[in-house]
Amino acid sequence: MDRIVWWLFSFLTLYDFIPGLISRVFGFRVFRRGQAGQEIAITFDDGPNPEYTPRLLDLLKRHNAKATFFVVGAKAEKHPEIIKRMYDEGHSIGIHNYVHRSNWIMSPRTVKRQVQRTSDILYEITGRRPMFYRPPWGILNLFDFAQLRHYQIVLWSGMFGDWKVKTGEEKLYRRMRKQLAPGEVYVLHDCGTTFGADERAPEMMLAALSRILDDGDRMGLRYVGVGELIEITETIKADEKERRAAGGKQEGRNGRSVPKPGPMKRLVVWLWMQWEKLFHVIFRVKPIGDGDFMHYRIVRYSGKELRFDNGSVLKRGDKVLEMHFDNEKMYEVGMNAKSSVHIAIRVIREVQRALPDMAKEIKRIDKDESIKALYGVSMINRGAEGLGFETFDLPKGLFSIMTQWYLKLLMSIIHPEGGGRVRKHRDTIEPRIIAMARERALSWESGEKSAEISEAYRSKRPGLAAKE
C-alpha cells in the first residue's frame, strides 16, 4: 500500500507540481510580465458571456483599449457573434481549453484535443488561428510544454480576486490600481459561471475596470493585446543587450548600432550568396513581380498528402508554386533587425506584398489550372496563418533532418545574434510547411485582400506600424 501511495505521490509531483512550479516561479516557456514604456495588457478568461462580454467590449471601445480574451471553446461555439465582434474590433483571442477543466486532471491527449477543437472553432469564426494559450487556473502538466510548443503560453503578473462578489468594487479597484504600470499583465474574468466563481461577479469587475481605464488614460498608458506587449518586450531586451555589449559595432540603416560581422562570418556570407546565385540559375528560380525579396519556381510536390481547411487536398505529384526568400535581402533584414520578432514582421509584410503578384503569376502561366497551391518551408512561419496560409509539421525522416539543419544554419547567418539565437531557442525555432490552397491564393489577385490585412494589422498594432 505504501508503495502505491509513494508511486502516486511521485507521479503527481512530476506530472503536476513541478511543471506548475517552474512555470509560475521561474517563468519557463511562459509569458507573465513584459517590459514597456507605456503599454499594459489586460486579459480576460472564461468567456464569452452573452450578458457581460458585450458590455465589456463597449467599455473597451470607449477607451480605445485593446485586450486579450482567453475563451472557452464551448462558449465560443455557442456565441460566435461575440467572438466575431472581438476580432473585428482588434482584440486578441486565445485558447482557454474547450471546457474549463484543469490540465492536471486530463491526459495529454485530452488536453491536445481540447486545444485543437477550440482552435478549429475560432478559425471557423474569424478565419485566423489563435497563437496564445492559457490553461484554466494557469495550471500546466508535464506534457504541455512539448505538445503546445506552437502556442505562446501566457500567464499573468496580476490576479485580483475579481471572480468573488465578496471582494467588493473598492477593494478590487485598489488592488488593480496598485499594479497599474507599464508591462503588467492583468487577468480578469468576464464570465462568472465557472466552478468557484460568483455569477454576478463580472458586474463588480466592470465597475472597477472602468475606473482603472480612466486612471490609465490620465497616466498616458496604452492598453494593448498580449502579442504587442511581447513584441515590445523583445525589442527592449534586444536593445538592452546591444547597449551592454561593448565594441565591434557598426551603424545599421535605421540608425541603430548592430554587431559587426567578423571575418569568418563575412566569408561564410559571401560563399552563401554565391550559392544563392547558382541555385537560382540551376533551378530556374524567378522573381515575383517588381520586387526582389520573393522568388518562385514551379515544381511537383513530393511530400505527404496535405488537407486544407477548404476541403481541397494537395497530393504527391501535384504542381505547386514553391516560394523562396532572397537570402541576400534576408541577411540585410537580419542585420538591421532588433530581434527575431522584427525579422518575422518584415518577412510577413514582404510576403503580403508579393501575394497579389503570385496570384497574377499563377493565372498567367497556368492556363490548365494544374497549380494546386503555394508552398514553402520556413522557420519564420509565425503569423503566416493571418495571411491565409496553413502550416503543417514536416514529415519525419531524412528530408526533415536536412531541412532543419539547412534552415538553422541560414538563421544563424541572417540573425543579428547569430548561432547563439538558434542554440538558445532550439526548442521553439522549428521549420514548418506553409501552404495556401489555389482558390485562396487567387483571392489575392485584386490586392483588396492585401489592403484589408494591412488595415487590420495597423488597427491591432498601431505602435509597431508607426515604428516600421
Side-chain angles (χ1 to χ4, degrees):
M1 187 67 175
D2 290 342
R3 279 179 131 189
I4 295 174
V5 172
W6 173 250
W7 181 90
L8 182 60
F9 174 78
S10 301
F11 173 78
L12 291 175
T13 299
L14 179 64
Y15 186 73
D16 297 335
F17 178 73
I18 292 178
L21 178 68
I22 62 177
S23 62
R24 292 286 190 90
V25 177
F26 301 105
F28 176 72
R29 291 285 302 278
V30 303
F31 181 77
R32 298 180 303 165
R33 176 186 279 108
Q35 297 181 31
Q38 58 182 156
E39 290 79 15
I40 182 172
I42 300 182
T43 68
F44 298 92
D45 288 2
D46 300 357
N49 177 277
E51 179 180 356
Y52 294 112
T53 307
R55 290 170 56 187
L56 171 59
L57 290 169
D58 291 341
L59 175 61
L60 295 171
K61 191 173 185 178
R62 287 197 296 273
H63 289 267
N64 194 28
K66 298 295 182 277
T68 304
F69 291 85
F70 290 93
V71 301
V72 175
K75 296 178 183 177
E77 197 171 33
K78 191 174 180 181
H79 304 289
E81 72 287 350
I82 301 179
I83 300 296
K84 186 68 166 58
R85 181 182 170 188
M86 289 176 187
Y87 182 78
D88 289 344
E89 293 183 1
H91 301 289
S92 301
I93 304 174
I95 296 171
H96 202 48
N97 284 357
Y98 180 75
V99 294
H100 198 280
R101 185 178 301 154
S102 171
N103 289 17
W104 281 9
I105 60 173
M106 293 191 293
S107 69
R109 184 179 179 185
T110 302
V111 173
K112 189 173 183 178
R113 279 204 309 263
Q114 292 240 347
V115 171
Q116 185 59 50
R117 185 173 180 183
T118 305
S119 177
D120 291 342
I121 290 166
L122 296 177
Y123 181 79
E124 184 69 25
I125 297 169
T126 68
R128 186 169 185 175
R129 296 277 180 188
M131 298 169 57
F132 306 112
Y133 173 67
R134 174 179 288 161
W137 296 289
I139 294 172
L140 296 160
N141 68 50
L142 178 63
F143 299 96
D144 289 341
F145 299 116
Q147 71 176 4
L148 301 176
R149 62 188 181 277
H150 302 309
Y151 295 94
Q152 172 65 64
I153 299 174
V154 178
L155 297 183
W156 54 80
S157 60
M159 176 182 278
F160 311 104
D162 67 303
W163 60 90
K164 284 293 185 183
V165 171
K166 69 178 183 180
T167 301
E169 178 192 333
E170 188 60 34
K171 184 184 290 187
L172 177 59
Y173 166 74
R174 288 200 306 270
R175 289 176 179 176
M176 295 167 66
R177 185 63 178 83
K178 190 175 182 180
Q179 283 189 238
L180 188 60
E184 295 290 335
V185 179
Y186 281 15
V187 58
L188 298 169
H189 302 79
D190 57 325
C191 182
T193 59
T194 52
F195 177 76
D198 294 333
E199 191 169 350
R200 307 308 299 179
E203 189 81 48
M204 170 193 68
M205 181 274 293
L206 287 171
L209 178 62
S210 178
R211 296 167 65 182
I212 287 294
L213 292 174
D214 286 337
D215 290 349
D217 290 343
R218 286 191 290 270
M219 295 167 62
L221 295 178
R222 287 182 59 233
Y223 296 97
V224 300
V226 162
E228 185 171 347
L229 184 58
I230 291 173
E231 291 166 357
I232 292 168
T233 300
E234 290 195 14
T235 299
I236 290 174
K237 287 181 177 178
D239 287 345
E240 288 176 349
K241 185 173 183 178
E242 288 174 6
R243 285 194 292 271
R244 288 195 302 267
K249 299 287 182 178
Q250 66 178 6
E251 196 72 13
R253 287 186 182 181
N254 57 5
R256 68 178 197 85
S257 59
V258 296
K260 184 178 180 180
M264 180 57 70
K265 183 163 184 176
R266 289 199 298 271
L267 175 61
V268 171
V269 170
W270 183 83
L271 291 172
W272 197 276
M273 297 315 164
Q274 304 317 303
W275 159 247
E276 172 89 355
K277 293 173 184 177
L278 183 61
F279 179 90
H280 282 203
V281 172
I282 294 174
F283 295 100
R284 299 180 182 180
V285 179
K286 302 175 183 178
I288 292 281
D290 299 326
D292 54 3
F293 196 94
M294 291 290 297
H295 296 73
Y296 80 95
R297 62 178 182 148
I298 305 302
V299 298
R300 296 280 181 182
Y301 176 66
S302 59
K304 68 176 184 179
E305 188 177 278
L306 301 181
R307 293 188 172 272
F308 294 106
D309 286 336
N310 68 354
S312 62
V313 179
L314 182 62
K315 300 178 181 178
R316 183 185 294 269
D318 286 343
K319 281 186 181 180
V320 294
L321 186 150
E322 185 179 77
M323 302 172 292
H324 293 268
F325 300 134
D326 184 288
N327 285 337
E328 185 171 359
K329 298 298 178 185
M330 286 285 289
Y331 177 70
E332 292 179 9
V333 168
M335 294 310 295
N336 287 279
K338 296 180 179 180
S339 68
S340 57
V341 171
H342 280 77
I343 293 176
I345 290 171
R346 279 292 307 278
V347 170
I348 289 297
R349 285 188 170 184
E350 293 294 344
V351 174
Q352 179 187 329
R353 291 189 188 104
L355 278 168
D357 291 320
M358 290 187 201
K360 292 172 185 174
E361 191 70 1
I362 290 174
K363 294 197 77 172
R364 185 183 70 82
I365 65 177
D366 188 35
K367 304 302 182 184
D368 60 352
E369 301 186 358
S370 59
I371 295 176
K372 302 300 183 184
L374 304 180
Y375 171 85
V377 178
S378 177
M379 298 181 74
I380 305 173
N381 46 62
R382 199 169 186 178
E385 290 174 336
L387 300 180
F389 287 97
E390 296 174 46
T391 64
F392 304 88
D393 291 330
L394 282 174
K396 298 191 181 304
L398 182 61
F399 175 74
S400 176
I401 294 171
M402 295 301 293
T403 300
Q404 292 194 43
W405 175 85
Y406 174 86
L407 291 177
K408 288 183 179 181
L409 177 60
L410 176 60
M411 180 64 80
S412 70
I413 291 173
I414 68 171
H415 198 281
E417 295 179 35
R421 170 73 184 183
V422 175
R423 289 190 295 274
K424 182 179 178 183
H425 298 279
R426 59 185 177 270
D427 56 341
T428 57
I429 294 178
E430 181 180 9
R432 288 173 64 79
I433 294 170
I434 58 173
M436 185 186 296
R438 176 192 178 92
E439 293 75 14
R440 185 169 290 176
L442 291 179
S443 71
W444 283 85
E445 183 184 10
S446 66
E448 292 178 4
K449 192 170 184 64
S450 180
E452 173 190 328
I453 293 286
S454 296
E455 182 58 35
Y457 184 91
R458 283 192 294 270
S459 68
K460 291 177 184 179
R461 291 173 170 81
L464 281 175
K467 291 177 187 176
E468 292 288 303

